[in-house]
Amino acid sequence: MDSAIRKRSVTIAGHSTSVSLEAAFWDALKDIAASRGVSVNALIEQIDEGRSGNLSSAIRVFVLAEFSRLRSPEGP
């Protein structure tokens, strides 16, 4: 698992910003976005709308919650 930090530029509400995440989180975010039929940027915008703290942290928590939801006995 690649734990190196990768910085990417994203656009949120028409404004560019950079997000730093471990490569494994970028890969997971890309997979989640594809499964929902949206772009990574669109998914990050959705996460941003519901966050109360740091965007990078909010993305990590979102990815963990999504994987936990998929692993739950009730399923997706």
Side-chain angles (χ1 to χ4, degrees), residues 27-61:
D27 291 343
L29 198 61
K30 186 169 67 172
D31 291 344
I32 295 166
S35 74
R36 293 181 176 201
V38 299
S39 68
V40 170
N41 200 85
L43 185 57
I44 291 173
E45 282 188 296
Q46 292 172 12
I47 295 166
D48 181 61
E49 290 172 2
R51 76 179 169 112
S52 58
N54 176 282
L55 180 57
S56 294
S57 295
I59 292 169
R60 287 184 188 96
V61 169

Side-chain angles (χ1 to χ4, degrees), residues 5-75:
I5 299 289
R6 306 279 190 253
K7 185 179 268 194
R8 305 252 165 92
S9 294
V10 297
T11 302
I12 300 171
H15 301 286
S16 293
T17 190
S18 61
V19 178
S20 298
L21 293 170
E22 294 78 6
F25 280 99
W26 282 117
D27 291 343
L29 198 61
K30 186 169 67 172
D31 291 344
I32 295 166
S35 74
R36 293 181 176 201
V38 299
S39 68
V40 170
N41 200 85
L43 185 57
I44 291 173
E45 282 188 296
Q46 292 172 12
I47 295 166
D48 181 61
E49 290 172 2
R51 76 179 169 112
S52 58
N54 176 282
L55 180 57
S56 294
S57 295
I59 292 169
R60 287 184 188 96
V61 169
F62 170 82
V63 168
L64 288 173
E66 185 68 11
F67 277 79
S68 293
R69 184 184 69 79
L70 291 173
R71 289 186 57 178
S72 75
E74 293 90 38

